[in-house]
Amino acid sequence: MYTPTLILVGLLSNVALANPIRLGQVSRRDNTPDVSAAASAPEITALLQGNQRFRTKTDPNLLSNLAKNGQKPDFLFIGCSDSRVSEGTIFDAQPGTLFGERNIANQFSSGDPNANSILSYAVTELGVKHVLVVGHTGCGGVAASIASPPTPPLDAAGQSIQTWINPIRELYHTSNRTEIVALRNANAGHSHVDAPGIDDPGFRALIEENVKKSVNSIASGTIITDHWKAYTSGHHRRAEAGPLVPVFIHGWVYDIAKGTIKDLKVSQGPPGVPVPSALEAVAAAIGVEVDVLEPEAAEPAPEPAPEPEVAEPAFEETYY
């Protein structure tokens, strides 16, 4: 026996299902668009306009092919969550080019199940050829690792951030790199240390050392070492997936002011397999030639003298 109330609820439910209201829209009897939501959220409007431009300029065949056949990226990008350094933007890459993992200060930890699952899927299922650890100048996570930590007690948000950047703070306090030691000495004895300026040599050095640390963590982890062993033994991923490909790990730093990429020359690959330069890897993948500035040569050691000048250590670097 149905009561009048239940019957009314059922009728209203049917009406609602037959006339759904779209999220963010107000139902209008004349069916004209309601612009009040757009006017009150211009940032959302900008995103939707960007999506429209993307759909206009992107080859629809590319999108339909990716939807039908799946992704086959050559690269796994491990970068920072910073809004200025998204992988699709800094490489002007098409969809399907870069599989991605981003977090504060582009860290890779063997104890992070999220990062490890992404690396595993990229290597074992997608067959990526290159893992790119990409830091960037002006990284807020690295800067916060140099500055004095906030005064306790911390709320949940503050504690979460400090816990995440603790490995970089430890790297700052233990690194023997000349520029970092100099910055540490300059900050010693100060009751409060502010975040460094973007051009501070110690800050930039720590950004680079943080990238190198992640490269080494990836290369020494069991996901990659097992893959390298399987590759050198001639194993396959799966019968339908074909032979394993050699996976190379590269360390780069993106300059947010110039838009350039710096190769830290720390690339690693399977034992006995020549490691291609990171630049060559990218050029081959996108099918173009690029000009490369030659690495800067180290300054020659000064001749013995009563007061010899000590040459600053030069760091080999490549831009493109």
Side-chain angles (χ1 to χ4, degrees):
M1 198 72 190
Y2 295 101
T3 66
T5 301
L6 289 177
I7 294 174
L8 178 60
V9 170
L11 290 173
L12 290 175
S13 298
N14 289 334
V15 171
L17 290 173
N19 301 276
I21 298 176
R22 294 183 181 179
L23 183 64
Q25 289 186 334
V26 177
S27 179
R28 296 172 64 89
R29 295 187 178 219
D30 58 2
N31 293 322
T32 57
D34 179 22
V35 299
S36 59
S40 62
E43 64 277 10
I44 300 297
T45 301
L47 281 182
L48 295 178
Q49 291 173 339
N51 176 253
Q52 178 63 47
R53 291 192 299 271
F54 165 77
R55 288 184 286 124
T56 300
K57 72 178 184 179
T58 303
D59 181 3
N61 293 325
L62 170 64
L63 299 181
S64 61
N65 180 64
L66 288 170
K68 179 180 179 181
N69 300 314
Q71 58 176 328
K72 297 178 182 178
D74 286 324
F75 302 96
L76 167 59
F77 175 93
I78 299 178
C80 184
S81 299
D82 194 300
S83 62
R84 299 167 292 182
V85 296
S86 61
E87 62 272 32
T89 301
I90 66 176
F91 296 115
D92 195 21
Q94 292 284 353
T97 304
L98 296 127
F99 193 58
E101 148 72 350
R102 297 174 65 190
N103 59 62
I104 293 176
N106 44 269
Q107 297 185 79
F108 183 91
S109 168
S110 59
D112 181 358
N114 178 64
N116 277 278
S117 64
I118 290 170
L119 178 63
S120 298
Y121 188 77
V123 171
T124 63
E125 299 298 324
L126 297 179
V128 300
K129 302 173 184 176
H130 304 275
V131 178
L132 312 176
V133 181
V134 183
H136 67 94
T137 58
C139 179
V142 176
S145 303
I146 296 171
S148 298
T151 303
L154 303 181
D155 59 16
Q159 186 60 57
S160 176
I161 293 172
Q162 292 304 311
T163 299
W164 180 256
I165 66 173
N166 269 341
I168 311 175
R169 193 182 295 279
E170 181 180 355
L171 181 62
Y172 167 65
H173 286 294
T174 59
S175 174
N176 292 324
R177 182 159 166 177
T178 303
E179 303 96 315
I180 299 174
V181 172
L183 178 59
R184 221 168 38 226
N185 290 339
N187 289 335
H190 292 275
S191 58
H192 178 80
V193 176
D194 291 324
I198 190 172
D199 293 321
D200 186 287
F203 181 20
R204 288 183 171 245
L206 187 59
I207 289 168
E208 294 177 358
E209 295 305 306
N210 183 49
V211 170
K212 294 178 186 178
K213 180 182 177 183
S214 288
V215 168
N216 289 331
S217 295
I218 295 169
S220 62
T222 54
I223 295 171
I224 291 297
T225 56
D226 286 351
H227 178 85
W228 285 347
K229 289 177 183 176
Y231 170 75
T232 55
S233 300
H235 292 173
H236 286 53
R237 293 203 307 274
R238 299 183 307 271
E240 70 274 15
L244 292 172
V245 296
V247 175
F248 302 97
I249 300 100
H250 311 283
W252 297 353
V253 172
Y254 170 73
D255 190 312
I256 63 172
K258 300 176 182 177
T260 54
I261 297 290
K262 178 179 180 179
D263 181 0
L264 299 183
K265 300 294 187 180
V266 292
S267 298
Q268 300 186 45
V273 179
V275 179
S277 77
L279 179 61
E280 291 174 351
V282 175
I286 62 178
V288 300
E289 294 183 359
V290 292
D291 294 328
V292 187
L293 294 176
E294 293 298 323
E296 295 180 2
E299 296 180 11
E303 294 294 330
E307 296 182 3
E309 293 184 0
V310 179
E312 295 183 358
F315 185 78
E316 188 178 22
E317 56 188 54
T318 301
Y319 297 93
Y320 72 88

